[in-house]
Amino acid sequence: MGTMLQSDEIVITPFEHQVGGHKVVLQISKNLICKPREDSEVEFYRRLPDHLKECVPHFKGEIQVQYVENDSGFQLRTKLPINLQQDFKNESDMRMDNHCINANSKLCSCDVIPLDHSSNNSMKRASEANTKSTNDTNGCKTCHTSDWSNQCLKRTMQQYALWSTSCSQQFIVLENLLADFNNPCILDMKLGRKQRAFDCTEAKRQLLESRCANSTSASLGFRICGMQLFQKHTGEYISQNKYIGRALDDEGAQLNLKQYFHDGITERRKEMLNIVEKLQHIHTAMSEQTVFSFMSVSLLLIYDSSADGKIDARLIDFANAVITDESSIDERHKECNADLLFGLSSIISIIQGFLS
């Protein structure tokens, strides 16, 4: 028998709109999500200057996430501190579906959207990536929005061994950027011509270098790590995972970016304009900041397929943000922010090219 849910506990589940990343993102409520705690990321949010706060998700605090087994599988539960409970409008929003996860369930592999147009080389590499990510060699056009988050949950538990030594793990709580979007279209991109990480092994360093050198990271300053599009003509989501993004050449990545701004019926030019404006603001803010050196960082683009011009763009994932006033900064660290700005400029230039 499983443990009964206590009166002050809530059940949290994989975030259905997670399109990238390695570790799982969990949804607490409509307004809040959480992710595994990294000391460096917590320190980033605590030291964040005011002028950068609109460039990143708002940090809400920390919680303990409990792993609880029962007859049907397991649940992930948490007790929210009072300051987070106040973010909820009512009890029904706070207490989500009493969902139980089946640890042996098979994951859907419908996580690939075939490219409509690309260079021959890019199509060949994308086909190889498609084979890696799904057993259906023709790919799958539609997808349950929770597919990638379910895979990340299994990876978090198996590869990263979360909850293996303790039934309680620390998570950080962030605002859900998609809370007010009815049909969110999401693009997750890794910024920078190089990718670096804290205290990584030589093997990991070589892997990161190879991954960048053999993708659009080295040439364009970004690579696509995940995409979700709501298609108005079918009323369904289609999505693409990181393996396709790694396989794209420069032409394929630019066409993929253009595809992101098409809802199946029309090209979303107003969203392009608004996102360019937001990216220019982020570029200016990041150019002026001197607190952090970003060894690795991602960019999230969002627009609402059911609304006219409703967008957002934020930098995310700060586990590899170095506080410059407490670190010994060498030339390698000085390159990091220049790489980030190069990637942002590249994306802005490409979208402006679509508009012209």
Side-chain angles (χ1 to χ4, degrees):
M1 290 291 293
T3 305
M4 293 294 292
L5 192 67
Q6 298 180 24
S7 60
D8 56 349
E9 284 185 321
I10 59 172
V11 176
I12 55 181
T13 56
F15 183 43
E16 65 174 351
H17 293 296
Q18 181 177 1
V19 299
H22 303 286
K23 297 181 181 179
V24 71
V25 175
L26 301 174
Q27 184 162 9
I28 300 171
S29 72
K30 174 186 175 182
N31 298 311
L32 298 176
I33 60 173
C34 62
K35 59 183 291 192
R37 186 189 195 278
E38 299 278 357
D39 290 345
S40 52
E41 188 159 28
V42 172
E43 189 64 17
F44 167 82
Y45 280 111
R46 287 176 176 167
R47 297 289 299 271
L48 190 66
D50 288 342
H51 78 283
L52 292 184
K53 289 183 177 178
E54 295 307 311
C55 300
V56 306
H58 295 163
F59 176 72
K60 298 290 188 176
E62 301 181 44
I63 58 172
Q64 294 285 332
V65 175
Q66 305 282 338
Y67 172 91
V68 181
E69 290 187 354
N70 57 30
D71 294 339
S72 302
F74 65 91
Q75 288 180 332
L76 300 176
R77 303 177 182 178
T78 191
K79 296 180 181 180
L80 292 180
I82 294 176
N83 67 304
L84 291 180
Q85 292 179 21
Q86 294 172 351
D87 279 357
F88 300 102
K89 295 180 180 178
N90 53 55
E91 183 70 14
S92 62
D93 182 44
M94 181 175 164
R95 191 170 292 279
M96 296 182 66
D97 183 24
N98 207 18
H99 178 68
C100 184
I101 302 167
N102 184 342
N104 297 315
S105 64
K106 292 184 178 179
L107 296 173
C108 173
S109 61
C110 304
D111 51 8
V112 178
I113 169 176
L115 296 178
D116 293 331
H117 308 284
S118 190
S119 67
N120 291 334
N121 181 48
S122 187
M123 284 299 291
K124 178 177 181 295
R125 295 168 65 193
S127 177
E128 293 169 351
N130 189 5
T131 302
K132 180 177 181 179
S133 61
T134 176
N135 293 325
D136 179 3
T137 56
N138 292 320
C140 192
K141 292 183 180 180
T142 61
C143 173
H144 299 294
T145 53
S146 60
D147 287 346
W148 187 252
S149 59
N150 285 337
Q151 293 185 49
C152 287
L153 176 58
K154 286 201 169 184
R155 186 184 302 113
T156 299
M157 297 180 67
Q158 296 170 2
Q159 182 177 336
Y160 297 100
L162 218 64
W163 297 291
S164 63
T165 58
S166 171
C167 291
S168 178
Q169 295 290 335
Q170 282 188 295
F171 277 60
I172 64 170
V173 181
L174 302 170
E175 68 168 318
N176 177 13
L177 297 175
L178 307 180
D180 295 325
F181 288 74
N182 292 321
N183 295 307
C185 297
I186 309 161
L187 188 62
D188 187 334
M189 292 179 282
K190 183 75 72 176
L191 294 179
R193 286 171 285 195
K194 295 180 181 178
Q195 190 177 347
R196 310 157 182 90
F198 278 127
D199 301 326
C200 64
T201 63
E202 178 62 19
K204 179 66 179 291
R205 185 189 65 79
Q206 291 181 6
L207 174 64
L208 295 177
E209 287 184 357
S210 174
R211 191 170 289 167
C212 289
N214 293 290
S215 70
T216 59
S217 292
S219 52
L220 297 178
F222 71 89
R223 71 171 179 271
I224 295 172
C225 295
M227 188 190 325
Q228 171 186 293
L229 297 176
F230 183 81
Q231 299 291 275
K232 294 181 74 173
H233 62 299
T234 64
E236 295 180 319
Y237 282 103
I238 56 176
S239 65
Q240 171 182 303
N241 65 30
K242 63 181 180 180
Y243 301 112
I244 299 298
R246 288 180 192 171
L248 297 173
D249 61 13
D250 289 5
E251 181 184 355
Q254 292 179 64
L255 288 168
N256 210 197
L257 184 54
K258 188 171 186 180
Q259 186 178 27
Y260 168 68
F261 289 104
H262 201 287
D263 61 17
I265 298 177
T266 58
E267 188 175 60
R268 308 297 294 240
R269 295 180 66 84
K270 189 170 184 178
E271 284 76 9
M272 291 186 203
L273 283 167
N274 292 347
I275 281 179
V276 164
E277 182 178 352
K278 182 67 182 283
L279 292 181
Q280 289 172 331
H281 169 74
I282 293 175
H283 189 283
T284 299
M286 297 304 293
S287 299
E288 295 173 350
Q289 74 86 27
T290 58
V291 180
F292 303 105
S293 177
F294 295 92
M295 301 176 70
S296 177
V297 70
S298 294
L299 174 69
L300 199 69
L301 304 185
I302 311 164
Y303 72 85
D304 195 333
S305 182
S306 62
D308 186 25
K310 187 175 182 179
I311 66 97
D312 204 348
R314 308 283 183 101
L315 297 174
I316 59 172
D317 299 337
F318 305 104
N320 290 300
V322 178
I323 300 174
T324 56
D325 60 355
E326 294 182 1
S327 304
S328 177
I329 303 301
D330 56 20
E331 289 303 316
R332 181 171 63 95
H333 286 142
K334 292 178 181 178
E335 283 184 316
C336 296
N337 291 350
D339 275 359
L340 182 156
L341 295 173
F342 177 83
L344 282 172
S345 296
S346 179
I347 294 166
I348 291 169
S349 178
I350 290 170
I351 299 174
Q352 287 176 327
F354 299 157
L355 291 166
S356 62

